[in-house]
Amino acid sequence: MAGCTRTGLPEPHKDEPAESRWQPKPGTAWQWQLDGRVDTGVRVPVYDIDGFENSARTVAALHARGAKVICYLNVGAWESFRPDHGEFSEKLLGANNGWGGERWLDIRRPDRLRPVMAARMDMCRKKGFDAVEPDLTEAYRNRTGFTVTAAQQLTYNRMIAGLAHERGLAVGLKNDLDQIPQLVDDFDFAVNEECAQFGECGELRPFIEHGKAVFHVEYKLEPGEFCAEAKRLGLSSMQKRLKLDAWRRPC
């Protein structure tokens, strides 16, 4: 537990040593399930599940099977269905992002978002997760209702990575391919959707070259259309349904 300063305020967290964090290696098999009750019977060493909707008991059950567990969090959009939705000022909420009950967050104000995101990271740590998957980390490439620059996105993404590392959690860069060269040292692995469909998988090489896993899914392509390239690059790839239920077709 952090101590207190002479002002009575908690001392800031300090980054845990990198060697104490989990570091998934290229080619590590995984399961990604954000919808429905988690099927804990999939024989893989890594699970990525929703941080809010799953309990410490579920995380412990997966650990008992020898799996590491990633905590999915949305760090780029407000979600009306989350228990902490009231912690966000209306001024921080932008346009709908295409999903029901979600609105882009104004990441230009990391000072306003940091306390809420820190509390979410604390939740992940308290439940026993090993890592965090922060979603929607490329607001600068979308119509959010705010004018977000690439530099502001880098600042925000690094803040998110720092919050995870301060708590001893590994953290993955979700998509945001254009900023991989600047962020590969800040993140412990990558999570990617549909790089094969759009001919972009080569852009994930920096993570593989740094000995860091790339957890990759395709929705529309069949395994026969992307697995050969995925294996050549060292990606951890599978086909999933868009709703991200338990179904999977790994390479």
Side-chain angles (χ1 to χ4, degrees):
M1 179 179 295
C4 292
T5 65
R6 293 183 180 180
T7 63
L9 296 175
E11 292 178 345
H13 287 279
K14 296 181 180 179
D15 276 11
E16 295 290 335
E19 59 269 19
S20 69
R21 295 194 301 271
W22 171 53
Q23 177 59 75
K25 302 301 181 184
T28 303
W30 72 309
Q31 165 66 324
W32 195 17
Q33 183 181 349
L34 303 183
D35 182 69
R37 184 174 181 176
V38 172
D39 177 2
T40 60
V42 181
R43 298 293 181 176
V44 292
V46 177
Y47 270 77
D48 188 339
I49 62 177
D50 190 278
F52 280 105
E53 295 181 4
N54 291 285
S55 66
R57 179 176 296 181
T58 298
V59 176
L62 291 169
H63 281 161
R65 304 192 77 136
K68 296 291 188 181
V69 194
I70 301 171
C71 183
Y72 170 89
L73 295 173
N74 192 332
V75 301
W78 173 85
E79 299 164 304
S80 63
F81 46 88
R82 298 302 191 187
D84 63 354
H85 68 274
E87 299 297 318
F88 296 89
S89 165
E90 178 67 27
K91 294 181 179 179
L92 295 173
L93 310 186
N96 176 265
N97 68 354
W99 294 87
E102 298 188 20
R103 294 168 63 183
W104 288 101
L105 290 169
D106 187 357
I107 66 160
R108 302 173 302 176
R109 296 300 310 273
D111 56 321
R112 300 288 299 277
L113 293 172
R114 184 183 180 95
V116 185
M117 297 305 163
R120 290 183 169 189
M121 299 284 184
D122 287 338
M123 174 192 70
C124 295
R125 180 177 59 175
K126 184 176 181 181
K127 289 183 177 181
F129 283 94
D130 303 285
V132 178
E133 179 214 335
D135 199 7
L136 296 187
T137 56
E138 47 186 357
Y140 72 106
R141 298 183 62 189
N142 289 273
R143 296 181 179 179
T144 64
F146 309 109
T147 303
V148 180
T149 67
Q152 289 167 332
Q153 188 72 64
L154 284 172
T155 296
Y156 186 70
N157 290 357
R158 285 177 172 140
M159 181 195 80
I160 293 296
L163 289 173
H165 288 163
E166 288 165 5
R167 289 154 178 81
L169 299 168
V171 60
L173 179 64
K174 178 73 169 287
N175 298 322
D176 195 14
L177 296 174
D178 290 346
Q179 295 188 328
I180 285 176
Q182 296 101 310
L183 292 173
V184 65
D185 290 334
D186 298 283
F187 287 81
D188 305 291
F189 57 93
V191 178
N192 177 266
E193 297 169 291
E194 301 182 297
C195 69
Q197 181 178 342
F198 297 104
E200 300 170 333
C201 293
E203 296 183 42
L204 291 151
R205 281 196 185 96
F207 275 96
I208 301 299
E209 291 168 354
H210 282 70
K212 301 177 178 183
V214 174
F215 297 119
H216 160 238
V217 298
E218 294 291 330
Y219 301 118
K220 295 181 180 179
L221 299 184
E222 298 289 323
E225 298 177 275
F226 65 87
C227 283
E229 180 190 24
K231 290 179 179 179
R232 179 175 58 81
L233 291 172
L235 311 186
S236 304
S237 302
M238 60 183 169
Q239 183 186 19
K240 294 285 292 185
R241 291 191 279 245
L242 188 58
K243 64 179 181 178
L244 293 175
D245 57 3
W247 182 87
R248 66 193 289 273
R249 292 179 66 191
C251 290

